[in-house]
Amino acid sequence: MTTLQVLAVASEIYPLIKTGGLADVVGALPAALAQEDVAVRTLVPGYPSVLAALKPAKTVMTIGDSFGAPARVLAGTAAGMEILALDAAHLFDRPGNPYSGPDGLDWPDNQRRFAALSRAAADVALGAVKGYRPDVVHAHDWQAGLTFAYMNFAQGRRPGTVMTIHNLAFQGQFSAAFFPMLGLPPQAFSLAGVEYYGGVGYLKAGLHYADRVTTVSPGYAAEIRTPEEGMGFDGLLRDRSATMSGILNGIDTEAWNPQTDPHLAMQYSKASMGRRAVNKAALQSQLGLDQDPEAPLFGVVTRLSWQKGMDLLVANVPTLLGQGAQLAVLGAGEPGLEAGFRAAAASNPGRVGCVIGYDEALAHRVLAASDAVLVPSRFEPCGLTQLYALRYGTVPVVARVGGLSDTVIDANPAAMGRGVATGVQFAPVTYEMMRVAIERSVALYRQPAVWKKLQSNGMASDVSWRDPARRYAALFRELVPAG
Ligand code: ADP
Ligand code: GLC
């Protein structure tokens, strides 16, 4: 088998730049795919943190006018990955996160910033970097969506193309007034092109032009072809059914390994679960919770947003307290939810603790210290925290949606009877059903043998990248002509 060359295109890559699971996935795929004889180079925007990490940062392509000023593509390695960075200071040398400034507002020129990324990606895909000819281009989310539109109208040998949807809620939808700026031919502005509900749709473009469409779980792949969950894309995605699939995410089982995790107060394994108590006590102390080893401790690590159902959790704080439970929240996001958790912590000292902010090390500690992790998402393309929870012997209590329903086996009588349950699911995603799920979870927790079984089943689940990487590799190889 010859090594397949894949050019990945994305706006985030862990550990260089991250706002959510997209970065984790883009950062994990290169190493996982290397095991399948697939060599990945990832093109990302030249944010300050990316350029600072890139060695040796050799110029491999120059661009006379990248949407307003000259730019170049730099090549090198960073964090063990082969990176191409679009060095365009006028677009990417800014504080804040990849999409918004320190004031939390989206940059007003995002349409330009990610068109520039996609334009550069198309040029690299078609051979603009000397000595580099990718076999397949793998675009992630709307920020990379226009890549395939640019490739479609260019001359030359076209690599295979795969568009992966990480979250259909983020669509990259802009006014039609921007179309002329993109430098695409007029005929691209049509239903069979980049036009979407009268505007320019970046994700729409990717979904339309890609040879294959994937999303990050089979469950979400099915949901988004329905009018209820398709967010306007269900028709297009139903048309693409024959070329669409769901491939579950994995997690980095080295970085997330309770036996070696340097962030924990005490490492542990399936054989030494008693040591988890040390982590629980340490987190209780860090978050100002009562030192109560018996209280079921529910943890949450998340963006605080409507998607994640966090308003339902705020409403269910009394349920948790009524069950004698404690709650530990690590999250940042919508100001109303941040205020809601701050208020819950202030009025329930010793029982509710929250840290508003983004903290990678604390995320590990919450996952390792909690008895259960709550993921009450209204929709969830895959979700990673329930996978971390499984690996850490922390029981996931999740909404029965998307990737959550694919990765957690509910402790119903049938699954318990067969000894395969790993957590608790609830549906529909309402305050009431979440309340019932919390009560069920506490009842299970109070039966130590049953709880232990859930924990050990979870720890035995394969949440690694091995199987997903095989699936991606097989999909990529389908797109490459034999010989
Ligand atoms: P999404 O990408 O929709 O936010 P995922 O579950 O796929 O959801 O991925 C979220 C990722 O971000 C996980 O790696 C999670 O640990 C991390 N994360 C989310 N919020 C925080 C936070 N406040 N501090 C640290 N890590 C966080
Ligand atoms: C998105 C989704 C999340 C998924 C992640 C990585 O941010 O919201 O469910 O796990 O992408 O694919």
Side-chain angles (χ1 to χ4, degrees), residues 294 442-455:
E294 302 302 324
V442 173
L444 293 165
Y445 175 79
R446 303 231 188 263
Q447 304 167 62
V450 173
W451 193 257
K452 226 180 174 158
K453 180 70 177 150
L454 293 178
Q455 291 179 301

Side-chain angles (χ1 to χ4, degrees), residues 18 42 72 75 103 117 168 172 189 230 232 255 278 317 328 374 409 412 464:
K18 164 170 167 175
T42 310
R72 55 194 184 149
D103 56 7
L117 177 71
L168 210 51
F189 193 73
V278 177
V317 166
L374 285 164
I409 303 174
N412 56 47
S464 77

Side-chain angles (χ1 to χ4, degrees), residues 20-22 25 166-167 216 249 303 307-308 380-384:
L22 167 67
V25 173
H166 293 267
N167 193 334
V216 290
N249 289 332
R303 291 186 286 120
Q307 174 193 344
K308 303 293 180 180
E380 196 61 77
C382 180
L384 298 176

Side-chain angles (χ1 to χ4, degrees), residues 18 20-22 24 301-303 307-308 330-332 357-360 363 380 383-385 388:
K18 164 170 167 175
L22 167 67
D24 292 298
V301 177
T302 190
R303 291 186 286 120
Q307 174 193 344
K308 303 293 180 180
L330 168 62
Y358 187 92
D359 186 334
E360 194 73 32
E380 196 61 77
L384 298 176
T385 53
Y388 301 147

